[in-house]
Amino acid sequence: MKKIGQTLLLAILITGCKNEPKQESTVVDEVKQEQIITSIYPESITKVFNAHGNIEQWNKMNTLSFTMTKPTGKEKTTKDLKTRAELIETPTYTQGFDGETLWINEKDGNAYKGKPQFYKGLMFYFYGMPFVFGDDGISYEETEPLVFEGKTYPGILISYEAGVGESSDDQYKIFYDAETGHMQWLGYTVTFGKAEGSPDFHFIRYNNWQTVNGLVIPKSIDWYNYENNVPTEKRNTVEFTDVVLSEKVLDKAMFSMPEGATVID
């Protein structure tokens, strides 16, 4: 868990020392304290964040957008990274979330047959790896490594405090390259709409990255079949194009529900 209380205490201690003459040992101590203040995550997940450009750089960003090509056509997702408002534009419908209200706007009489509550934020979450695991209300634990095709990947188990997100019983596992720190695999459970957690982990492979605005983010991801909670063979690939990651703040109006749209409860 994030050591917020410890961070506050150390900040107070450092502030109290500012007016005193600085001896060499004092300077060294303050540097050590500053390192503790900025390292509010466990060492393993910090290594992963740093390999992808660091969490501080991610937190500077306000806007993310990307496009996926599906059998039904192109699907563009635009996300406000601070409020988590979202707009998903497809050839047959638009799905929006303004931070409070989820809505669907069907196009040309096409009946929407999906699950908007489940899909809200779903692809953003998969795309925003590993930085979405810097959110509040998350716990980190070491977990057994993943061995795939003779290579061993250290693992981190991610879980959520009760009431965090749409499905706080969901669990995730990050598996990363021990040398580079780059994320290589994601294991995840699906508990949406279920009364309790699931023991079954699905798997996505992350091994095709691109650098945008100083951050190493996916260029494509591969879904794998799985058996006994380990990946087996690749099932399909999702590619991401027209990626924008920016400090620009979007107009909130773009996420507002248009006339004729349907509110999703």
Side-chain angles (χ1 to χ4, degrees):
M1 301 287 286
K2 299 179 183 178
K3 300 181 179 64
I4 296 175
Q6 183 180 13
T7 300
L8 179 61
L9 176 59
L10 289 171
I12 293 173
L13 289 174
I14 291 174
T15 301
C17 294
K18 284 184 176 179
N19 295 325
E20 298 178 5
K22 294 184 183 291
Q23 302 298 323
E24 182 177 355
S25 60
T26 302
V27 173
V28 172
D29 288 342
E30 288 189 10
V31 170
K32 290 181 179 179
Q33 288 174 330
E34 180 64 22
Q35 290 174 341
I36 295 174
I37 288 175
T38 58
S39 300
I40 60 176
Y41 300 96
E43 181 179 354
S44 56
I45 194 68
T46 298
K47 180 176 182 177
V48 176
F49 288 155
N50 289 345
H52 288 267
N54 78 58
I55 193 71
E56 288 79 10
Q57 178 68 7
W58 170 262
N59 287 335
K60 292 178 183 178
M61 301 297 117
N62 289 295
T63 299
L64 171 66
S65 67
F66 55 85
T67 298
M68 301 177 293
T69 300
K70 294 187 170 184
T72 54
K74 292 184 179 294
E75 177 179 301
K76 180 180 179 180
T77 296
T78 304
K79 196 80 174 178
D80 184 317
L81 294 175
K82 297 300 185 286
T83 67
R84 297 295 167 89
E86 181 179 68
L87 189 68
I88 302 173
E89 301 169 277
T90 80
T92 58
Y93 72 92
T94 300
Q95 176 173 318
F97 177 66
D98 63 6
E100 295 182 358
T101 302
L102 177 64
W103 52 268
I104 291 287
N105 191 25
E106 299 167 343
K107 298 179 181 179
D108 302 324
N110 291 285
Y112 178 74
K113 299 179 181 179
K115 298 178 180 178
Q117 296 96 332
F118 176 72
Y119 201 61
K120 177 174 73 70
L122 181 69
M123 291 310 301
F124 156 71
Y125 213 73
F126 289 145
Y127 188 77
M129 296 289 165
F131 297 110
V132 290
F133 290 141
D135 288 351
D136 292 332
I138 292 180
S139 298
Y140 312 89
E141 300 176 38
E142 299 298 317
T143 190
E144 292 185 5
L146 171 67
V147 179
F148 185 82
E149 296 181 343
K151 184 168 182 176
T152 300
Y153 301 92
I156 307 167
L157 175 65
I158 309 291
S159 55
Y160 292 80
E161 296 177 4
V164 174
E166 298 291 337
S167 304
S168 56
D169 288 331
D170 281 349
Q171 288 190 317
Y172 297 84
K173 293 180 180 180
I174 278 187
F175 298 97
Y176 60 96
D177 187 293
E179 295 183 4
T180 67
H182 282 123
M183 179 179 174
Q184 295 291 299
W185 292 91
L186 174 71
Y188 66 96
T189 63
V190 179
T191 64
F192 184 87
K194 300 177 181 179
E196 55 186 21
S198 171
D200 297 323
F201 279 84
H202 306 251
F203 283 87
I204 303 176
R205 190 172 193 176
Y206 289 76
N207 62 349
N208 187 16
W209 301 96
Q210 59 186 322
T211 300
V212 179
N213 216 341
L215 295 165
V216 181
I217 53 181
K219 189 173 183 179
S220 68
I221 57 179
D222 300 324
W223 260 266
Y224 269 65
N225 293 323
Y226 64 94
E227 186 175 344
N228 299 322
N229 282 338
V230 294
T232 53
E233 68 279 337
K234 184 168 71 173
R235 190 179 74 210
N236 67 289
T237 298
V238 175
E239 296 184 353
F240 303 95
T241 59
D242 305 319
V243 177
V244 175
L245 189 55
S246 170
E247 296 182 45
K248 180 182 178 180
V249 178
L250 296 174
D251 186 341
K252 295 180 180 179
M254 75 173 296
F255 303 106
S256 299
M257 184 175 69
E259 185 177 352
T262 302
V263 174
I264 307 298
D265 296 323

